[in-house]
Amino acid sequence: MALSSWVLSPALQLCAAGPACSWEMLHVAGAGVCGCCGALRPRYKRLVDNIFPEDPEDGLVKTNMEKLTFYALSAPEKLDRIGAYLSERLIRDVSRHRYGYVCIAMEALDQLLMACHCQSINLFVESFLKMVAKLLESEKPNLQILGTNSFVKFANIEEDTPSYHRSYDFFVSRFSEMCHSSHDDLEIRTKIRMSGIKGLQGVVRKTVNDELQANIWDPQHMDKIVPSLLFNLQHVEEAESRSPSPLQATEKEKESPTELAERCLRELLGRAAYGNIKNAITPVLIHLDNHSLWEPKIFATRCFRIIMYSIQPQHSHLVIQQLLGHLDANSKSAATVRAGIVEVLSEAAVIAASGSVGPTVLEVFNTLLRQLRLSIDYALTGSYNCITGVSTKIIKEHEERMFQEAVIKTIGSFASTLPTYQQSEVMAFIMNKVPLPSSQQSIEAGKAGENRNRLTQIMLLKSLLQVSVGFQCSNMLTALPSAFLDRLLSAALMEDAEIRLFVLEILISFIDRHDNRQKFSTISTISDISVLKLKVEKCSRQDTVFMKKHSQQLFRHIYLICKEESNIQAHYEALYSMLVLISIELANEEVVVDLIRLVLAVQEIAQINEDNLTAYNRCALFALGAAYLNLISQLITVPTFCQHIHEVIQMRQKEAPYLLPEDVFVERPRLSKSLDRLGPEVFFWQSKISEVLGGSGYNADRLSTPYVPQLTDEDRLSKRKSIGETISLQVEVESRNSPEREQRAPAEEITYETLKKAIDSVAVEEQERERRRQVVEKFQKAPFEEIAAHCGARATLLQSKLNQIFEITIRPPPSPSGTITAAYGQPQNHSIPVYEMKFPDLCVY
């Protein structure tokens, strides 16, 4: 009885105080009651207390929970007090390790959140987040998971009222920490990491679309969220292989941190706006740097595939620009790191093809070409500091070559995503970077400079080849503008055989618009070309204009390349493809005639051998001519022409098989050293071809004229030693240039007078060449009126000379006396007017 009076005394004292006693005083007094006087406590507290059973294993008392929910909906102003009281109980239960009641409290909070959407819910949410934070701070994994699950449920609720002061910094940090859990137990570690990923996903969903919430795209948040997701993407748990059946393995894989992190990352990037892409991608680049993940490149490629497929397509170019900037920032990193970045860039470019590569296309290629040039310098100097030559890192040449190949591949990948007009701009841009003797770019002197120039030329031409392979344009005038073609062909006169081969391959890729190249990749004298199934179309008007403008330039370079002693089988195969493709894609009657003349001139090179070519080069040129004439004879289908070509090929098969491609272009070619004693029956005769084709309507006069290329300024600027000698021999059209020459003129005795005449003749040739150049330049640059006046004056002079000649030729023969005495005794010369003269019938037209 004494105990009861002691317990009730505060309440009795309050009752005795009368009506002046405030409710707050009663509330304070009730707080000191241990539960024996529950009727005096606030209703919300009694309703909260009633949801907890005596035994926590019984779970939440559902009927009492319904009453609490109804009360909260009826009196929303009490919601914040309910939340505060639940928070108080949960914190007390956590400290007393009464985890059953903790679970019940969180379940009650979840139900209240789902049911209540009133304007006063913000204060209740503050209490809720305080309770979740308390659970996340616990060292117990079960409490951490419990708090995360409640937060995820809260994140999926769309609140009716905005919050201006709510902060999620703690949750971002804590969930990120959980994503990196290193718990000893694998199963518990997996659960904690998955809870962390779900928590981050909840934070993103709660804040990403609410401008009044904390900006989740700030670097301080992205630098925690993105690396946490990448960490789980990177670490695939080995326990996944323990599943007893494929079905269970599939279910477990869906529940793995790796799959969950990927879904979360995709959702995050899919919500990124234009201004947030950079903040989302920068942590990815930093993570790959810090963990050295560029070198294997597998994980880096996977990450950026996820990124490129997740972001909005119109933002693709922002990712590519960041990768390019990161490549520049790593200019002095190891070649394997740079190669990894470049290959990831290549993958991203292919995916970005459906979106936009961005407005700064040339800037992209400029960056790649700059890195290519730096890599060449690194490989040559052996140092990342090309000025001082001091470097603490060892540069491996094969790694730099691997990086260069990766850059070239990436250039091709980028170009394949561009429209045709931009591809043309890119190719012109690359070609202008190639250092050439005929260009305005400075050519470095010395052995080191020559090596750098050569490597730069090869790498840039390989890059150009990568772009041209995917280039499709039906108009050759657009595909090969004059400035571009001039620079490209000037590279064909370089001494380096590899450079010449690249030029030929580039030209072939432009001309081959119907994929015919692979059908005759090997040189042969096939008897029936119908089995090749070539796609031949009539030459368009644009192509005809292109050939009228550039055919002689193309033929001249083909002719000069054939004279190179350093040619190998690949060069002759490319030359054959070049000739055939021109015949298929760009040929009309005039072009066909010029091609036949060109091939006969190539035969003349091998026959005369003024350049002292090897036996292989001579046999290869003979075989090249036979293969091409065999094919072109079947294309133009003139029976007599086909018969002549077929007879020569048969004769070669019997007497000189080493002049045919089947014996020359093999692994072990069969050659002959007695090429100067060949009989006339194994050669293709220009007179015979002119006769048979002239009878079929072709220009016989043009066919009978030997092909002679002209000297240009390009040859004088070229570094090739034999150019001057070659052209000086070519400008003279003599009978010895004809393939019908049976034997060569006897050698002339060399004396002082002979040398003097030779020197004088060289000076005369130089003057004649200069005069021709001035005439050509005058007709190219002078106004039309001046040219017309000049031609008119020449025509008048010519007409006057002709009149004099006619006057002389139509006079009658003189009389025996020398004169005829006319009337009046005056001597007079008689001439019959032209209109009175009588000509034989055959002379009248």
Side-chain angles (χ1 to χ4, degrees):
M1 184 66 182
L3 180 62
S4 301
S5 62
W6 180 80
V7 172
L8 296 177
S9 58
L12 293 174
Q13 293 174 6
L14 287 173
C15 293
C21 175
S22 64
W23 174 251
E24 286 76 7
M25 295 175 62
L26 184 59
H27 173 69
V28 173
V33 179
C34 296
C36 299
C37 193
L40 299 178
R41 307 186 68 201
R43 186 181 180 189
Y44 74 90
K45 284 191 176 184
R46 286 186 277 120
L47 292 173
V48 170
D49 290 336
N50 291 338
I51 67 174
F52 293 93
E54 293 183 3
D55 186 358
E57 293 184 0
D58 294 339
L60 183 67
V61 181
K62 295 183 179 179
T63 56
N64 292 337
M65 186 64 214
E66 293 175 358
K67 294 178 182 179
L68 178 62
T69 304
F70 180 76
Y71 177 76
L73 293 173
S74 303
E77 68 278 2
K78 302 291 185 180
L79 191 59
D80 57 332
R81 296 186 181 183
I82 294 173
Y85 184 60
L86 274 171
S87 176
E88 179 185 343
R89 287 203 55 152
L90 182 136
I91 293 171
R92 184 175 69 242
D93 291 336
V94 170
S95 61
R96 294 179 180 178
H97 306 289
R98 300 169 65 179
Y99 301 125
Y101 289 120
V102 171
C103 295
I104 293 173
M106 292 307 301
E107 185 179 355
L109 281 169
D110 293 342
Q111 292 191 23
L112 288 174
L113 278 173
M114 298 297 293
C116 302
H117 297 278
C118 59
Q119 294 183 354
S120 58
I121 196 175
N122 281 328
L123 295 177
F124 176 75
V125 170
E126 293 297 329
S127 300
F128 168 77
L129 294 178
K130 182 179 178 182
M131 296 164 67
V132 172
K134 183 67 177 178
L135 294 180
L136 295 176
E137 290 175 350
S138 173
E139 297 180 357
K140 298 292 183 179
N142 292 336
L143 295 184
Q144 297 174 14
I145 295 171
L146 178 64
T148 302
N149 293 337
S150 294
F151 183 84
V152 171
K153 293 177 183 178
F154 161 71
N156 292 327
I157 298 174
E158 295 184 5
E159 300 181 50
D160 296 336
T161 56
S163 175
Y164 298 92
H165 60 282
R166 196 179 299 164
S167 174
Y168 294 96
D169 294 357
F170 167 79
F171 296 100
V172 172
S173 300
R174 183 56 184 153
F175 289 138
S176 300
E177 185 180 350
M178 291 170 64
C179 290
H180 292 82
S181 174
S182 57
H183 198 279
D184 296 335
D185 191 324
L186 176 61
E187 186 175 354
I188 295 176
R189 181 169 69 241
T190 302
K191 290 182 179 180
I192 294 175
R193 289 184 179 181
M194 291 183 65
S195 295
I197 298 170
K198 291 178 182 178
L200 291 177
Q201 190 177 30
V203 173
V204 171
R205 289 177 179 176
K206 196 66 180 174
T207 59
V208 73
N209 293 324
D210 192 348
E211 297 180 356
L212 299 175
Q213 303 279 8
N215 189 2
I216 201 65
W217 299 107
D218 287 342
Q220 59 179 344
H221 298 311
M222 286 290 105
D223 291 346
K224 297 175 183 177
I225 295 174
V226 174
S228 301
L229 300 176
L230 295 179
F231 176 79
N232 285 276
L233 271 175
Q234 179 183 350
H235 292 82
V236 180
E237 301 295 349
E238 299 178 357
E240 296 179 6
S241 60
R242 300 178 185 176
S243 303
S245 67
L247 179 60
Q248 293 180 5
T250 304
E251 293 175 354
K252 191 158 190 173
E253 185 180 358
K254 291 180 180 179
E255 297 176 353
S256 68
T258 302
E259 295 295 324
L260 187 60
E262 181 176 340
R263 289 200 300 270
C264 184
L265 183 62
R266 289 183 184 276
E267 182 178 347
L268 176 68
L269 296 169
R271 296 171 180 266
Y274 181 87
N276 302 326
I277 293 291
K278 182 178 180 180
N279 290 343
I281 302 303
T282 301
V284 178
L285 301 174
I286 295 174
H287 181 84
L288 297 175
D289 287 341
N290 293 340
H291 294 272
S292 302
L293 296 173
W294 291 111
E295 297 180 24
K297 82 178 181 179
I298 298 174
F299 178 73
T301 303
R302 180 188 176 195
C303 285
F304 275 90
R305 280 178 180 168
I306 293 173
I307 291 170
M308 298 304 294
Y309 281 120
S310 299
I311 62 174
Q312 300 177 37
Q314 65 268 25
H315 300 159
S316 299
H317 67 280
L318 296 177
V319 180
I320 292 174
Q321 286 179 356
Q322 278 197 266
L323 280 169
L324 289 169
H326 197 66
L327 179 61
D328 277 338
N330 285 272
S331 294
K332 296 184 179 181
S333 299
T336 51
V337 173
R338 286 178 280 130
I341 298 174
V342 167
E343 292 189 19
V344 169
L345 194 58
S346 176
E347 294 282 345
V350 174
I351 299 173
S354 59
S356 169
V357 182
T360 56
V361 174
L362 295 182
E363 182 181 344
V364 172
F365 289 93
N366 192 32
T367 300
L368 292 173
L369 295 179
R370 182 171 63 250
Q371 291 297 324
L372 193 62
R373 186 64 183 262
L374 284 174
S375 177
I376 293 172
D377 292 338
Y378 294 159
L380 290 175
T381 60
S383 170
Y384 288 122
N385 194 336
C386 301
I387 299 176
T388 62
V390 179
S391 177
T392 58
K393 298 179 180 178
I394 300 175
I395 294 179
K396 298 179 180 179
E397 195 170 342
H398 71 278
E399 292 182 352
E400 290 296 336
R401 284 198 298 270
M402 178 188 66
F403 169 72
Q404 293 162 11
E405 293 296 331
V407 171
I408 293 170
K409 175 186 173 184
T410 303
I411 288 175
S413 299
F414 264 115
S416 64
T417 66
L418 300 176
T420 302
Y421 75 94
Q422 283 189 331
Q423 287 182 346
S424 300
E425 293 177 359
V426 168
M427 288 187 288
F429 180 77
I430 296 175
M431 195 66 229
N432 288 332
K433 295 281 186 180
V434 180
L436 296 173
S438 59
S439 66
Q440 300 297 326
Q441 297 181 2
S442 59
I443 301 296
E444 299 183 33
K447 186 175 181 180
E450 290 180 359
N451 290 337
R452 181 175 287 104
N453 290 331
R454 178 183 177 276
L455 288 175
T456 303
Q457 291 163 353
I458 290 175
M459 291 302 167
L460 291 178
L461 288 174
K462 287 177 74 174
S463 303
L464 185 59
L465 179 59
Q466 282 286 327
V467 179
S468 64
V469 167
F471 181 72
Q472 295 291 334
C473 183
S474 58
N475 189 348
M476 292 301 295
L477 285 171
T478 305
L480 291 171
S482 298
F484 176 81
L485 184 61
D486 292 343
R487 288 186 58 83
L488 181 61
L489 290 177
S490 64
L493 300 180
M494 303 296 292
E495 289 182 344
D496 193 280
E498 190 175 1
I499 292 176
R500 295 198 304 273
L501 185 58
F502 278 127
V503 173
L504 289 173
E505 293 293 341
I506 291 169
L507 288 171
I508 288 170
S509 64
F510 277 111
I511 299 174
D512 185 17
R513 293 169 292 182
H514 296 90
D515 297 327
N516 287 315
R517 168 75 188 278
Q518 299 303 322
K519 298 175 182 178
F520 47 83
S521 56
T522 57
I523 309 178
S524 64
T525 53
I526 185 171
S527 58
D528 184 9
I529 65 170
S530 61
V531 298
L532 299 178
K533 298 181 180 180
L534 300 176
K535 297 179 181 178
V536 183
E537 292 186 2
K538 185 179 179 181
C539 184
S540 64
R541 185 179 64 84
Q542 293 87 349
D543 291 344
T544 302
V545 173
F546 172 81
M547 291 305 291
K548 284 184 178 179
K549 187 176 182 181
H550 298 294
S551 61
Q552 296 306 315
Q553 188 180 14
L554 285 171
F555 298 158
R556 175 178 170 275
H557 283 82
I558 292 174
Y559 180 85
L560 294 178
I561 292 174
C562 289
K563 297 170 71 71
E564 292 291 343
E565 187 177 357
S566 58
N567 289 339
I568 58 176
Q569 180 175 341
H571 291 84
Y572 297 111
E573 290 176 349
L575 287 167
Y576 176 70
S577 299
M578 183 84 171
L579 292 170
V580 175
L581 286 172
I582 293 176
S583 304
I584 295 174
E585 299 278 354
L586 305 173
N588 52 24
E589 182 178 322
E590 182 179 350
V591 173
V592 169
V593 169
D594 286 342
L595 284 170
I596 293 174
R597 293 173 59 226
L598 172 63
V599 172
L600 292 174
V602 170
Q603 178 185 252
E604 182 75 7
I605 294 173
Q607 183 182 359
I608 299 175
N609 197 24
E610 293 178 340
D611 297 286
N612 295 321
L613 298 175
T614 64
Y616 174 78
N617 294 125
R618 296 177 69 184
C619 291
L621 291 179
F622 281 124
L624 174 65
Y628 175 74
L629 290 174
N630 173 68
L631 188 139
I632 196 65
S633 65
Q634 297 183 56
L635 282 177
I636 62 178
T637 62
V638 176
T640 52
F641 181 40
C642 293
Q643 182 180 358
H644 171 64
I645 301 300
H646 186 62
E647 289 175 353
V648 175
I649 291 176
Q650 282 185 331
M651 189 59 65
R652 287 188 180 186
Q653 290 173 346
K654 293 178 181 179
E655 299 184 3
Y658 45 84
L659 301 184
L660 293 175
E662 286 78 8
D663 280 18
V664 177
F665 301 117
V666 291
E667 186 177 355
R668 294 181 179 180
R670 303 174 186 176
L671 306 177
S672 174
K673 296 182 180 179
S674 59
L675 296 176
D676 294 329
R677 297 191 295 271
L678 294 172
E681 66 277 1
V682 297
F683 295 112
F684 301 99
W685 298 102
Q686 190 158 5
S687 58
K688 180 66 173 178
I689 293 175
S690 174
E691 178 185 348
V692 296
L693 289 182
S696 299
Y698 287 85
N699 190 337
D701 293 337
R702 191 172 182 85
L703 275 168
S704 60
T705 305
Y707 172 79
V708 179
Q710 297 178 352
L711 177 67
T712 64
D713 294 336
E714 179 184 34
D715 302 306
R716 287 188 284 270
L717 293 171
S718 175
K719 296 178 66 177
R720 296 169 70 252
K721 297 177 182 179
S722 61
I723 286 292
E725 300 172 358
T726 300
I727 302 302
S728 66
L729 292 171
Q730 292 161 356
V731 294
E732 299 178 2
V733 183
E734 297 178 346
S735 60
R736 64 187 182 129
N737 287 336
S738 174
E740 284 82 353
R741 186 186 60 176
E742 297 286 343
Q743 58 183 3
R744 303 186 64 175
E748 183 181 357
E749 183 181 358
I750 300 176
T751 62
Y752 172 78
E753 293 296 331
T754 305
L755 294 176
K756 184 178 179 182
K757 290 179 181 179
I759 294 173
D760 294 340
S761 65
V762 170
V764 173
E765 287 179 6
E766 289 293 335
Q767 294 176 0
E768 180 66 18
R769 192 178 298 117
E770 180 65 21
R771 187 187 65 79
R772 291 179 182 178
R773 189 189 65 79
Q774 292 176 357
V775 171
V776 172
E777 184 177 357
K778 179 178 180 180
F779 275 87
Q780 288 178 343
K781 298 181 179 180
F784 175 75
E785 293 78 7
E786 181 179 344
I787 296 174
H790 176 73
C791 294
R794 294 289 299 272
T796 304
L797 178 61
L798 179 62
Q799 186 63 38
S800 64
K801 294 290 184 182
L802 289 174
N803 291 337
Q804 294 178 8
I805 293 171
F806 283 133
E807 185 70 21
I808 294 172
T809 56
I810 63 178
R811 286 179 180 175
S815 63
S817 60
T819 59
I820 298 176
T821 304
Y824 312 109
Q826 298 292 333
Q828 182 178 0
N829 291 331
H830 285 266
S831 63
I832 302 173
V834 175
Y835 57 85
E836 293 183 359
M837 293 179 64
K838 293 184 178 180
F839 295 93
D841 294 338
L842 294 176
C843 296
V844 179
Y845 179 73

